Amino acid sequence: ATAILSQNFIYVGVALSMTGYLVYVRDVRRGKADPDLVTWGLWTAIPLLAFGTQLTQGVGLVSLVTFTAGIGPGMVFITALRAPRPPHRLHPIDFLCGSTAVIGVIIWVTSGDPTLGLWAFLVGQFAAGTPTLFKVWFEPDSESKLTYVMDIATSGLAPFCVTRFSVATVGFAIVETTVAAAALTFAI
């Protein structure tokens, strides 16, 4: 099978994504963005776990998108912890969604059932993003919108660059695109 787009577009997507994350880091340092620590911490851990899974399944170059989706939020998370102003306060929704995401990841990692694992992963990734979706709904200017635009572009390209469609090759990109599009929609 042949991919719709050359796999070289993965490099373009990774560059776009990293640009978006670096803009977010800059905005956090300037006090223009206020990331939810639960979301961004889980957005670091979950993609890096997914990247590890993709490596074991031989997904190939498209796994760079997943790796970037973990490293970028990791930079934002670390920057937020070191920011001059106090980070976003934790609310009950953070604990509820954070716990749900962790449970989803545990089920995903330990389940021998690929279907159950996929659904647990999807629930975990969505739950991780929910505190940010709530925050951006009420405080739309608390997010760096360009980051989400770049994330949508990157994750949206990935499925067109694979030669074999499977949950392992495109599932993460589809979830990532959906969550980023929701955050951007609320922020506008």
Side-chain angles (χ1 to χ4, degrees):
T2 305
I4 294 171
L5 295 175
S6 165
Q7 284 203 336
N8 290 330
F9 276 96
I10 295 293
Y11 298 116
V12 173
V14 166
L16 289 172
S17 188
M18 286 308 295
T19 300
Y21 291 124
L22 290 171
V23 167
Y24 201 109
V25 165
R26 181 203 65 199
D27 288 350
V28 170
R29 285 186 178 151
R30 291 180 178 175
K32 293 182 176 181
D34 183 22
D36 182 276
L37 293 177
V38 171
T39 292
W40 288 88
L42 289 168
W43 278 354
T44 300
I46 293 172
L48 292 177
L49 285 169
F51 172 69
T53 300
Q54 287 177 328
L55 286 180
T56 63
Q57 294 184 5
V59 167
L61 194 57
V62 75
S63 64
L64 281 178
V65 172
T66 307
F67 179 73
T68 304
I71 293 300
M75 294 183 326
V76 171
F77 181 76
I78 291 168
T79 302
L81 290 175
R82 305 177 89 199
R85 74 176 189 179
H88 179 75
R89 285 190 11 223
L90 296 179
H91 297 92
I93 191 82
D94 292 297
F95 294 106
L96 176 66
C97 292
S99 299
T100 302
V102 169
I103 290 167
V105 168
I106 290 169
I107 293 170
W108 169 50
V109 170
T110 61
S111 170
D113 180 347
T115 303
L116 176 62
L118 169 64
W119 283 107
F121 164 75
L122 294 174
V123 168
Q125 184 69 354
F126 182 79
T130 301
T132 290
L133 295 177
F134 272 94
K135 183 178 73 70
V136 76
W137 178 266
F138 293 106
E139 303 171 43
D141 292 331
S142 69
E143 291 293 317
S144 185
K145 295 167 188 69
L146 181 63
T147 301
Y148 296 107
V149 170
M150 297 298 198
D151 207 23
I152 292 166
T154 301
S155 297
L157 277 174
F160 297 101
C161 298
V162 299
T163 55
R164 179 178 51 93
F165 282 90
S166 70
V167 171
T169 59
V170 300
F172 184 81
I174 291 169
V175 171
E176 187 76 9
T177 303
T178 303
V179 173
L184 181 62
T185 301
F186 292 162
I188 292 176

